[in-house]
Amino acid sequence: PNDLILDLSDRFGTSNRFHGFAIGFDSMVRGGNWSFGTMFKLGMGNVEREIDINGFRRITVTDQARNPLSTSETMDGLLARSSNNGSYRSDRFVVSPEVALTLGYRFSQRMDATLTYTYLGLPSVARAGEQLDPNLLVNLSNPPTGVVAPRFAEVNSNYSLHSLSYGIQWRF
């Protein structure tokens, strides 16, 4: 009997780039040894989204000694098929908010400690997992008829980054 070797791969990749400017304000209030700071910015500009979808399938038939008898290759993976393979690019104007709140304490004339919470939001980004079309219709007619699937339909979502940072500063 012959053996069948299946090499199957899917690649869904995304890249998001923000090009723009930011405007905002920064303030600090002190009372005794305590301080409280705020920062607010609005970034405005273009989000450039690139989505790459690539599938690959190789079927190799071998004899009992594992010598290849025949090989066939297609650009169809499991979820990345000829109906959605390709590189897609889009642009969108966005407004991106950033907020930071800082609480500080002065231990001495030379030493301060701070704790900062920061939020950054970037709307309309492309994520690799959201570009998968789970609709795996198999249309074996030749020529194909009906709905071709899976198909590409760009999906975007909002990206939120939350961070908490702390620091100690020693002045000499």
Side-chain angles (χ1 to χ4, degrees):
N2 295 336
D3 289 326
L4 184 69
I5 300 171
L6 176 63
D7 181 15
L8 183 69
S9 68
D10 288 328
R11 182 183 179 283
F12 288 78
T14 59
S15 174
N16 298 277
R17 292 181 195 87
F18 175 78
H19 302 281
F21 69 95
I23 188 166
F25 68 88
D26 194 359
S27 68
M28 174 79 65
V29 176
R30 292 194 178 270
N33 288 346
W34 291 95
S35 63
F36 181 72
T38 59
M39 184 274 300
F40 178 76
K41 292 182 193 174
L42 277 180
M44 291 172 260
N46 180 58
V47 171
E48 176 185 284
R49 299 173 297 244
E50 292 182 24
I51 301 165
D52 291 311
I53 301 172
N54 297 296
F56 176 77
R57 178 177 58 213
R58 178 185 305 131
I59 300 172
T60 306
V61 178
T62 63
D63 61 18
Q64 289 181 351
R66 305 288 271 175
N67 296 317
L69 298 175
S70 68
T71 301
S72 67
E73 294 181 357
T74 67
M75 299 309 290
D76 286 329
L78 179 62
L79 297 171
R81 304 183 64 86
S82 58
S83 56
N84 64 343
N85 273 346
S87 294
Y88 307 92
R89 186 180 178 282
S90 63
D91 294 282
R92 183 166 184 184
F93 178 81
V94 297
V95 177
S96 172
E98 182 178 1
V99 177
L101 305 172
T102 302
L103 181 64
Y105 186 78
R106 176 167 280 176
F107 291 102
S108 68
Q109 194 69 10
R110 295 179 178 240
M111 188 167 87
D112 291 334
T114 58
L115 180 65
T116 303
Y117 166 77
T118 305
Y119 166 80
L120 174 64
L122 186 59
S124 197
V125 298
R127 299 178 195 216
E130 294 176 339
Q131 308 312 314
L132 293 140
D133 181 0
N135 188 3
L136 291 177
L137 292 178
V138 178
N139 190 339
L140 299 177
S141 65
N142 191 5
T145 59
V147 177
V148 176
R151 60 184 173 177
F152 176 74
E154 183 176 319
V155 177
N156 298 305
S157 60
N158 296 331
Y159 177 76
S160 296
L161 176 70
H162 301 268
S163 68
L164 192 60
S165 59
Y166 58 89
I168 294 178
Q169 180 179 17
W170 177 264
R171 291 184 289 288
F172 55 93

